[in-house]
């Protein structure tokens, strides 16, 4: 349905928005009972949001609100993923909020969570650009508000410039879409198949702007958030949710847009060779570039940054064939990468290393290496299989494999140095969230098939 | 457990790894005891497997088949034929021996035993896996745990040298992955199940040459074979003795297992067509390694090159596949039987060769307390060296003889067998020099090596030596075990 009656599908997002407004307008409230009500409202909202998404996920309902926002199982899945990522990083904040009612830190992140979910719902160019704008603004506030030691305006200027640049790229990309199709709505903005077949370069040109516009955020931001300078000034894990939430949402949105505007891929199940080579080339360049960057700067934070970029490059390569199998694996890989890197970031601040954290770190590092028995191996193997079965030539597959070899070597070296550090036993507490994440990565391998099936079932778009 | 022997033998080291991870580093005796119990139980299961193994059957036995990932047609299939069984015996014996050899290991005992148990899981799984995806998983675990063992347990600080092994292993893993992807793409309905794939040989007809070379190079990269051997000396030369044993005696056999288990059954046409490559690789390696053994005065290096020398005979034995072209199945059977026996005997022989300097030290110990046993130990040492030369009566002789004999049947490889004898002479001369140096107690050879972690070496050497001798005198015991499986393999290739 595509009218006012479909509004009830969007109740979970309204609940989150309600909380954002509630937190914003009630930040000056001092009365204890009102603070308590606000706290209960937030907890109930989060639980309701998760429950509604879970229930509707398996019912497979689809709704479109006047062409602007879409609700389908694809959104349900990503909403749950985003909520989980939010909870991974913000559990301490939520606890602080529950015990003291302190709200300032939480508000910005809740805005980013809501904006990320709305971004995944956006079915029109205007809605999408608005959501991205909201994310960028929220992100800039967080980055500059809390890097309190950095008092000059240079950093603010650089961050804003980057985000405006990305915004410009996207704007240009969507102008091209509009020029081709005459529609601002993704489900009707279908590029004419004949035109695409005649000139596959249109594919490449358009994809370049979309991938760069939506993807550069995931590539550039780690340098701003996880880089050493920031790491020294503020706890790196603080930035986790403000980075990972948009990173995942932008990728989900990219899938939705491409699925909408490239009907030829969906309907005919074939992609032009030029487009395929272009996307694979883009991802190889990204991976190779990240590896070269690490050759120059060899700090552990740089390694985390390049791992993010390299995995993003791998994930993008799934778009080259755009088959259901490839998209499923790309999503599996983005989930596993997020979990592993979140775990590493949460562990990163410990100066001393205990036996437990050494073990957990080893599990995460093995995952990034792609050791058999970890989601890293499963994801990469399935992705390569999907690409090969989707028609990507073997030489390109070999190039992808070669491009990821350096990161395997880098992390192997890290594991060796990790095991040469002497462990400390007393005074180190067990970290429950990283331990749970390490356990979850193992679960992702053991229950690999149900995971993949769940993602495959969720790849249902509003048509 | 009786019905699930293979699952148990695979599950034990996996479980052992997790248990060892949970134990504190300070409790070294617990770590060692658990490792000994796990490997001991594995050895007991292997004995059960041998006694229950039907030698007259060429088919898979003790099969465990579960549907694993239906979505991708991936099954959990493990089983045993005669060839796999012998490799499994080799791995179990070596792991059991290594635990006792490493009893006095000083630093990082926990890391060593955890990694060794992980390697045990990988290699055990590798030797019994009959699904390509499962094989790939265990292959990756094996390569990675071996790399960590080499790097973490080096006796020198020159870790950069171990990078060679890492790079070779990485490329090998990538090539095998690519090969498996190609096979799956060609025959998607068969999935990854090796038995199903071999039942539909037509599906892989288009990729016979390409697939053969991808897998062959993938496996050769981790084999001590010229020209892929450059990782061998840095990796084995700098590691502690226990790691050297695992690397030289066991890990170096994975490539030949891969060729017998995957390359020949999946790419039979190319295996016959390019069988001469095996012969050339074997001959070049025999001559190169024999010359190295002859030229170096350091015992450690001699053992490393001697590993390559022994392995080279296996490839010479594989060249007997060429005779299938001329319907000479007996020659192929001889060559392949020789290759399998040489793999096992070389593995066992290398274990005792690595331990030899410690035996020598015991033999030269002139304290009154050890005086009574000195001559017994000296005799044992001489026997080890004679077994190394290939003295008739030892299993090593049978292996080498069958390999040479298999290659000798074909006119094109006959000359290889003759030239290979030159290598045997070179090695023989060097070994006689070592024997002379030992008897005369001269310093002609440098036996210096770090053996501080070694213990129980005399018992281990004695047991392995007796086993090699008994099997050498009664080779039928081993031959009967593998004969049917090797014959089935040759029959299959011939039909294709």
């Amino acid at each position: 349905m595509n009218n006012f009656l479909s509004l009830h599908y969007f109740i979970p997002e309204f609940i989150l928005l309600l909380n954002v407004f509630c937190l914003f307008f009630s930040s000056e409230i001092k009365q204890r009972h009102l603070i308590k009500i606000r706290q209960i409202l937030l907890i109930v909202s989060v639980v309701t949001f998760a429950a509604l998404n879970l229930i509707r996920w398996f019912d497979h309902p689809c709704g479109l609100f006047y062409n602007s926002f879409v609700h389908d199982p694809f959104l349900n899945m990503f909403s749950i993923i985003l909520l989980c990522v939010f909870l991974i990083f913000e559990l301490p904040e939520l606890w602080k909020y529950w015990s003291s009612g302190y709200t300032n830190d939480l508000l910005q992140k809740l805005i980013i969570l809501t904006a990320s979910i709305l971004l995944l719902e956006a079915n029109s160019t205007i809605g999408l650009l608005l959501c991205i704008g909201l994310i960028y603004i929220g992100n800039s506030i967080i980055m500059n508000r809390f890097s309190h030691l950095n008092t000059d305006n240079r950093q603010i200027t650089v961050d804003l410039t980057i985000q405006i640049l990305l915004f410009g790229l996207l704007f240009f990309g969507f102008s091209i879409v509009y020029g081709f199709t005459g529609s601002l709505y993704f489900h009707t903005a279908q590029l004419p198949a004949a035109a695409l077949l005649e000139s596959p370069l249109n594919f490449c040109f358009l994809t370049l702007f979309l991938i760069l516009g939506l993807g550069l955020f995931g590539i550039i931001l780690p340098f701003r958030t996880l880089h050493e300078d920031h790491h020294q000034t503020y706890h790196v894990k603080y930035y986790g949710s403000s980075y990972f939430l948009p990173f995942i949402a932008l990728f989900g949105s990219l899938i939705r847009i491409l699925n909408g505007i490239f009907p030829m891929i969906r309907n005919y199940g074939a992609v032009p060779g030029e487009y395929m080579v272009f996307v694979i080339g883009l991802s190889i360049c990204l991976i190779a570039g990240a590896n070269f960057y690490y050759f120059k700067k060899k700090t552990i934070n740089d390694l985390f940054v390049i791992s993010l970029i390299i995995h993003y490059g791998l994930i993008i390569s799934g778009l080259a064939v755009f088959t259901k199998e490839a998209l499923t694996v790309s999503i599996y890989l983005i989930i596993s990468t997020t979990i592993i890197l979140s775990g590493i970031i949460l562990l990163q601040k410990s100066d001393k290393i205990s036996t437990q954290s050494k073990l957990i770190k080893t599990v995460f590092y093995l995952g990034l290496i792609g050791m058999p028995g970890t989601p890293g191996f499963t994801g990469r193997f399935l992705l390569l299989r999907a690409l090969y079965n989707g028609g990507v030539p073997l030489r390109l597959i070999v190039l992808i494999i070669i491009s990821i070899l350096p990161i395997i070597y880098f992390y192997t070296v890290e594991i060796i140095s990790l095991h040469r550090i002497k462990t400390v036993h007393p005074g180190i507490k067990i970290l429950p969230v990283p331990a749970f994440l390490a356990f979850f990565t193992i679960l992702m391998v053991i229950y690999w098939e149900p995971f993949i099936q769940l993602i495959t079932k969720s790849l249902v778009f509003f048509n | 457990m009786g019905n699930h022997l293979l699952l148990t033998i695979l599950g034990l080291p996996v479980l052992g790894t997790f248990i060892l991870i949970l134990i504190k580093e300070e409790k070294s005796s617990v770590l060692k005891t658990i490792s000994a119990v796990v490997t001991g139980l594995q050895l007991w299961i292997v004995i059960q497997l041998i006694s229950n193994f039907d030698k007259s059957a060429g088919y898979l036995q003790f099969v465990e088949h579960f549907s694993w990932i239906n979505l991708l047609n991936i099954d959990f299939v493990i089983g045993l034929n005669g060839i796999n069984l012998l490799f499994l015996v080799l791995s179990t014996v070596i792991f059991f021996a290594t635990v006792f050899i490493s009893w006095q290991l000083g630093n990082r005992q926990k890391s060593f035993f955890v990694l060794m148990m992980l390697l045990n899981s990988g290699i055990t799984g590798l030797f019994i896996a009959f699904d390509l995806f499962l094989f790939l998983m265990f292959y990756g675990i094996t390569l990675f745990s071996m790399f960590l063992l080499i790097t973490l347990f080096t006796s020198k600080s020159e870790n950069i040298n171990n990078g060679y092994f890492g790079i070779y292993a990485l490329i090998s893993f990538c090539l095998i992955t690519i090969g498996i992807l190609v096979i799956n793409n060609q025959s998607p309905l068969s999935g990854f199940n090796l038995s199903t794939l071999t039942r539909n040989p037509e599906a892989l007809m288009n990729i016979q040459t390409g697939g053969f070379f991808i897998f062959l190079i993938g496996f050769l990269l981790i084999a001590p074979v010229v020209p892929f051997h450059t990782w061998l000396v840095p990796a084995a030369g700098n590691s502690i003795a226990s790691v050297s044993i695992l690397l030289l005696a066991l890990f170096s056999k994975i490539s030949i297992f891969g060729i017998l288990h995957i390359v020949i059954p999946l790419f039979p046409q190319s295996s016959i067509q390019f069988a001469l490559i095996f012969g050339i690789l074997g001959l070049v390696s025999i001559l190169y390694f024999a010359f190295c053994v002859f030229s170096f005065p350091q015992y450690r290096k001699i053992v490393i090159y001697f590993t390559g020398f022994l392995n080279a005979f296996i490839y010479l034995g594989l060249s007997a596949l060429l005779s299938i072209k001329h319907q000479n199945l007996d020659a192929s059977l001889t060559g392949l039987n020789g290759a399998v026996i040489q793999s096992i005997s070389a593995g066992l022989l290398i274990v005792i060769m690595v331990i030899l300097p410690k035996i020598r030290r015991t033999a030269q110990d002139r304290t009154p307390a050890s005086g009574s046993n000195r001559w017994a130990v000296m005799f044992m040492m001489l026997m080890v060296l004679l077994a190394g030369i290939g003295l008739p009566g030892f299993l090593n002789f049978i292996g080498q003889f069958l390999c040479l004999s298999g290659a000798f049947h074909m006119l094109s490889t006959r000359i290889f067998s003759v030239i290979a004898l030159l290598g045997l002479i070179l090695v023989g001369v060097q070994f006689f020099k070592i024997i002379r140096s030992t008897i005369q107690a001269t310093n002609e050879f440098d036996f210096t090596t770090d053996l501080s972690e070694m213990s129980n070496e005399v018992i281990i050497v004695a047991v392995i030596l007796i086993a090699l001798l008994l099997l050498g005198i009664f080779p039928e015991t081993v031959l009967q075990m593998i004969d049917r499986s090797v014959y089935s393999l040759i029959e299959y290739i011939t039909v294709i």
Side-chain angles (χ1 to χ4, degrees):
Chain A
M1 85 183 66
N2 179 12
N3 52 36
F4 191 77
L5 292 174
S6 63
L7 202 60
H8 70 93
Y9 288 127
F10 302 95
I11 290 170
E13 289 75 43
F14 282 119
I15 294 172
L16 281 185
L17 273 175
L18 178 72
N19 266 289
V20 170
F21 284 110
C22 183
L23 278 172
F24 181 69
F25 289 114
S26 66
S27 55
E28 300 301 319
I29 286 175
K30 297 282 185 286
Q31 289 92 336
R32 187 170 284 182
H33 65 279
L34 285 177
I35 290 173
K36 208 78 210 165
I37 291 171
R38 201 179 59 189
Q39 287 167 337
I40 292 168
L41 179 69
L42 181 63
I43 303 299
V44 170
S45 303
V46 169
V47 173
T48 316
F49 178 83
L52 283 175
N53 272 302
L54 276 172
I55 294 163
R56 287 179 171 172
W57 190 3
F58 302 109
D59 282 351
H60 278 214
C62 287
L64 190 64
F65 182 66
Y66 289 115
N67 291 332
S68 295
F69 289 98
V70 68
H71 196 289
D72 49 23
F74 181 73
L75 174 77
N76 285 125
M77 176 184 67
F78 269 99
S79 297
I80 291 164
I81 295 170
L82 291 177
L83 183 67
C84 292
V85 174
F86 177 77
L87 290 176
I88 286 170
F89 285 102
E90 303 308 330
L91 268 180
E93 287 296 316
L94 281 172
W95 177 249
K96 207 193 301 178
Y97 175 64
W98 182 251
S99 52
S100 66
Y102 179 70
T103 61
N104 281 339
D105 291 5
L106 203 59
L107 177 62
Q108 310 300 337
K109 288 166 184 175
L110 208 58
I111 290 175
I112 290 184
L113 172 69
T114 315
S116 301
I117 292 168
L118 288 174
L119 175 70
L120 280 158
E121 285 182 359
N123 190 51
S124 68
T125 307
I126 296 165
L128 185 128
L129 290 176
L130 281 173
C131 292
I132 290 178
L134 198 58
I135 290 172
Y136 285 177
I137 291 166
N139 204 24
S140 297
I141 292 170
I142 286 180
M143 284 168 67
N144 295 300
R145 179 176 140 75
F146 296 106
S147 54
H148 47 270
L149 291 180
N150 197 345
T151 48
D152 63 4
N153 286 329
R154 193 178 157 273
Q155 190 183 324
I156 302 168
T157 316
V158 171
D159 291 342
L160 284 175
T161 311
I162 289 169
Q163 293 180 359
I164 289 167
L165 178 75
L166 298 180
F167 203 79
L169 274 173
L170 264 184
F171 198 79
F172 193 65
F174 283 115
S175 302
I176 298 171
V177 175
Y178 185 67
F180 269 122
T181 64
S183 174
L184 288 171
Y185 304 108
F186 302 142
H187 74 301
T188 52
Q190 300 182 349
L191 294 180
L196 289 173
L197 279 175
E198 277 169 20
S199 175
L201 282 177
N202 288 334
F203 256 116
C204 308
F205 195 56
L206 186 54
T207 317
L208 179 69
F209 282 102
L210 291 180
I211 290 183
L212 289 184
L214 290 169
L216 270 184
F217 182 87
I219 299 161
I220 292 177
L221 205 68
F223 290 99
R224 311 294 308 152
T225 55
L226 304 177
H227 199 262
E228 198 170 9
D229 300 340
H230 287 265
H231 178 64
Q232 284 167 350
T233 52
Y234 199 81
H235 205 307
V236 70
K237 68 185 175 194
Y238 187 82
Y239 296 115
S241 65
S242 63
Y243 168 71
F244 280 108
L245 291 175
F247 174 69
I248 297 169
L250 286 165
F251 180 71
S253 185
L254 186 61
I255 294 178
R256 188 187 286 288
I257 297 164
L258 289 182
N259 180 66
I261 63 176
F262 292 161
M264 198 173 67
I265 301 171
R266 199 179 60 223
N267 298 340
Y268 304 108
V271 287
E274 290 90 339
Y275 166 78
M276 192 185 279
V277 173
F278 173 76
V279 176
I280 297 282
L282 203 64
S283 81
I284 290 173
C285 288
L286 205 59
I287 297 168
N291 282 323
F292 276 117
Y293 176 81
Y294 185 68
F295 274 119
K296 279 173 69 186
K297 298 187 174 186
K298 287 187 174 174
T299 66
I300 188 78
N301 285 322
D302 286 317
L303 187 57
F304 298 151
V305 169
I306 69 142
S307 332
L308 270 168
I309 296 165
I310 285 171
H311 281 89
Y312 192 66
L314 276 175
I315 290 160
I316 283 178
S317 68
L319 299 175
V321 289
F322 221 81
T323 56
K324 206 164 190 175
E325 189 188 357
L327 292 181
T328 305
V329 182
S330 289
I331 294 169
Y332 178 87
L333 207 56
I334 205 169
I335 296 171
S336 66
T337 309
T338 304
I339 289 173
I340 291 171
L341 283 164
S342 307
I344 290 178
I345 289 169
L346 288 175
L347 277 171
Q348 187 54 18
K349 200 59 189 173
S350 315
D351 295 327
K352 293 173 182 176
I353 188 153
S354 65
T355 316
Q356 290 92 342
S357 59
K358 199 183 216 182
L359 181 65
I360 297 167
K361 259 190 182 177
T362 309
V363 172
F364 290 140
Y365 284 0
L366 290 176
L368 289 172
I369 284 172
M371 167 96 163
T374 62
F377 169 75
T378 315
R380 284 175 202 177
F381 182 80
L382 291 179
L383 185 70
L384 293 175
R385 181 181 181 271
L387 290 179
Y388 192 47
N389 290 347
V392 175
L394 193 62
R395 55 185 179 277
L396 285 182
I397 303 271
V398 173
L399 276 179
I400 293 176
I401 292 175
I402 291 170
S403 67
I404 57 170
L405 290 184
I407 194 178
I408 300 176
Y409 189 73
F410 299 151
Y411 270 105
T412 312
V413 173
E414 278 308 315
I415 287 187
I416 291 163
S417 28
L418 182 71
H419 282 269
R420 286 194 171 143
I421 301 171
K422 264 200 166 289
T423 50
V424 181
H425 291 302
I428 303 288
K429 59 181 178 185
I430 297 170
L431 300 151
V433 179
F436 173 75
L437 293 179
F439 177 68
F440 194 78
T441 54
I442 296 165
L443 274 189
M444 275 189 84
V445 181
I446 299 171
Y447 296 105
W448 160 22
E449 193 176 9
F451 259 101
I452 293 283
Q453 275 177 340
L454 212 57
I455 298 170
T456 312
K457 276 183 193 168
S458 308
L459 282 173
V460 178
F461 299 94
F462 185 92
N463 292 318
Chain B
M1 197 169 78
N3 294 327
H4 301 290
L5 286 171
L6 276 190
L7 264 186
T8 318
I9 202 169
L10 178 61
L12 273 168
V14 177
L15 191 69
T17 311
F18 285 108
I19 294 172
L20 289 177
I21 286 171
L22 298 174
I23 293 169
K24 283 186 178 174
E25 191 148 10
E26 293 80 31
K27 296 183 176 174
S28 61
S29 56
V30 181
L31 287 167
K32 285 183 276 194
T33 312
I34 290 174
S35 305
V37 169
V38 169
T39 48
L41 280 172
Q42 279 187 298
L43 197 62
W44 181 75
I45 293 171
V46 160
I47 294 165
Q48 296 293 313
L49 287 169
I50 293 170
S51 57
N52 292 326
F53 189 77
D54 182 3
K55 289 170 190 163
S56 61
Y59 51 80
L60 271 186
Q61 297 177 43
F62 310 104
V63 178
E64 305 270 5
H65 188 164
F66 310 106
S67 187
W68 186 14
I69 301 156
N70 292 325
L71 209 66
L72 305 175
N73 247 339
I74 296 175
D75 293 341
F76 182 91
V77 195
I78 49 175
L80 275 185
N81 58 27
I83 300 170
N84 298 45
L85 179 61
L86 271 197
F87 278 94
L88 189 63
V89 172
L90 177 74
S91 77
T92 318
V93 169
I94 290 176
F95 279 114
F96 187 66
T98 311
V99 171
F100 287 98
I101 289 168
S102 322
W103 207 258
Q104 285 171 0
L105 189 74
N107 294 328
R108 294 201 294 267
Q109 285 193 343
K110 182 176 171 178
S111 302
F112 177 80
F113 284 110
V114 168
L115 285 173
M116 197 197 75
M117 209 50 83
L118 193 65
L119 183 71
N120 188 345
S121 315
I123 290 187
T124 308
L126 196 74
F127 285 162
I128 58 177
F130 272 82
D131 182 275
L132 285 178
F133 184 79
L134 200 62
F135 181 89
L136 185 69
M137 281 193 71
F138 288 124
Y139 190 64
I141 291 170
T142 304
L143 293 182
F144 190 76
S145 44
M146 193 71 244
F147 176 71
L148 283 188
L149 272 172
I150 291 170
T151 315
L152 284 173
F153 295 92
T154 174
S155 54
K156 292 178 187 174
S157 56
E158 296 164 11
N159 281 341
I160 189 70
N161 288 336
N162 302 328
Y164 285 121
F165 178 81
I167 291 163
Y168 275 90
L170 211 55
I171 298 171
S172 164
F173 184 71
C174 291
L175 281 174
I176 303 298
T177 310
I178 292 168
I180 291 174
L181 283 173
V182 171
I183 288 176
N184 186 242
N185 184 261
Q186 287 292 314
S187 175
L189 291 176
S190 305
F192 296 88
N193 192 326
L194 211 51
S195 309
T196 320
L197 283 165
T198 45
R199 274 200 295 272
N200 301 308
E202 308 83 36
L204 302 179
M205 279 303 161
N206 295 333
I207 53 158
Q208 278 291 310
T209 310
F212 172 80
F213 280 107
I214 289 176
F215 274 98
L216 183 68
I217 295 170
F219 285 125
L220 285 179
L221 280 170
I222 55 154
V225 171
V226 179
F228 305 100
H229 66 288
T230 45
W231 57 269
L232 185 66
V233 177
N238 295 335
S239 311
I240 60 166
S242 311
V243 176
S244 291
I245 288 175
L246 292 173
L247 181 71
L248 298 174
L250 189 57
F251 183 83
S252 62
K253 305 294 171 294
I254 289 173
S255 54
I256 186 65
F257 176 78
I259 290 169
L260 287 168
H261 190 59
I262 292 178
V263 179
I264 297 175
L266 289 184
F267 310 105
Q269 285 184 335
S270 298
S271 300
I272 299 169
Q273 194 183 344
F274 300 109
L276 200 64
I277 290 177
F278 293 124
I280 294 168
L281 283 173
L283 180 68
V284 173
S285 300
I286 286 174
L287 293 179
Y288 174 79
F289 287 122
F291 185 73
C292 290
V293 170
F294 184 72
S295 349
F296 280 97
Q298 293 94 355
Y299 181 77
R300 189 79 186 254
K301 282 196 172 170
I302 290 176
V303 175
I304 294 168
Y305 288 122
F306 186 60
T307 309
F309 174 76
L310 291 178
N311 271 293
F313 278 94
I314 304 169
Y315 293 92
L316 197 62
L318 287 184
S319 68
L321 282 172
L322 208 60
S323 53
I324 294 178
K325 261 187 188 172
H326 304 274
Q327 300 298 320
N328 190 351
L329 299 191
D330 284 343
S332 305
L333 191 66
T334 311
L336 258 64
N337 274 336
V340 177
I341 291 180
Q342 178 67 4
S343 306
I344 309 307
S345 65
L348 293 174
L349 195 61
I350 292 301
V351 175
I352 51 179
M353 291 288 288
V354 175
I355 309 174
L356 196 76
K358 189 74 186 279
I359 300 278
R360 184 175 178 273
R361 207 173 291 171
T362 314
Q364 288 176 343
D365 187 358
R366 291 171 191 280
T367 55
S370 62
S372 54
N373 295 326
R374 202 158 66 85
W375 290 108
V377 174
M378 183 72 90
F379 174 73
M380 197 186 289
M381 195 181 129
L382 292 178
M383 292 303 282
V384 172
L385 290 168
L386 289 173
I389 298 166
L391 186 77
F394 285 97
L395 189 62
N396 189 27
F397 168 75
I398 307 289
Q400 285 177 359
F401 179 78
L402 289 177
C403 287
L404 289 170
S405 165
F408 194 80
H409 278 83
M410 278 301 297
L411 196 65
S412 48
T413 49
R414 183 169 296 166
I415 188 75
F416 291 0
S417 293
V418 178
I419 299 172
L421 291 172
L422 184 69
L424 264 177
I425 294 167
L426 280 177
V427 171
V429 170
Q430 186 75 334
F431 271 50
F432 278 121
K433 277 190 200 171
I434 297 175
I435 292 170
R436 189 185 62 195
S437 146
T438 308
I439 293 171
Q440 295 175 354
T442 61
N443 293 325
E444 197 178 343
F445 287 91
D446 177 16
F447 281 87
T448 4
T449 177
D450 181 20
L451 299 162
S452 52
E453 87 273 17
M454 278 201 183
S455 58
N456 307 305
E457 68 283 348
V458 178
I459 305 167
I460 291 162
V461 170
V463 171
I464 293 178
L465 208 55
I466 291 167
L468 281 175
L469 192 63
L470 284 176
L471 292 173
I473 296 167
F474 305 107
E476 275 295 300
T477 328
V478 187
L479 278 170
Q480 275 176 358
M481 209 176 283
I482 56 169
D483 196 55
R484 277 309 307 173
S485 302
V486 173
Y487 188 76
S488 302
L489 181 65
I490 291 170
E491 209 173 38
Y492 164 76
I493 301 170
T494 316
V495 172
I496 300 289

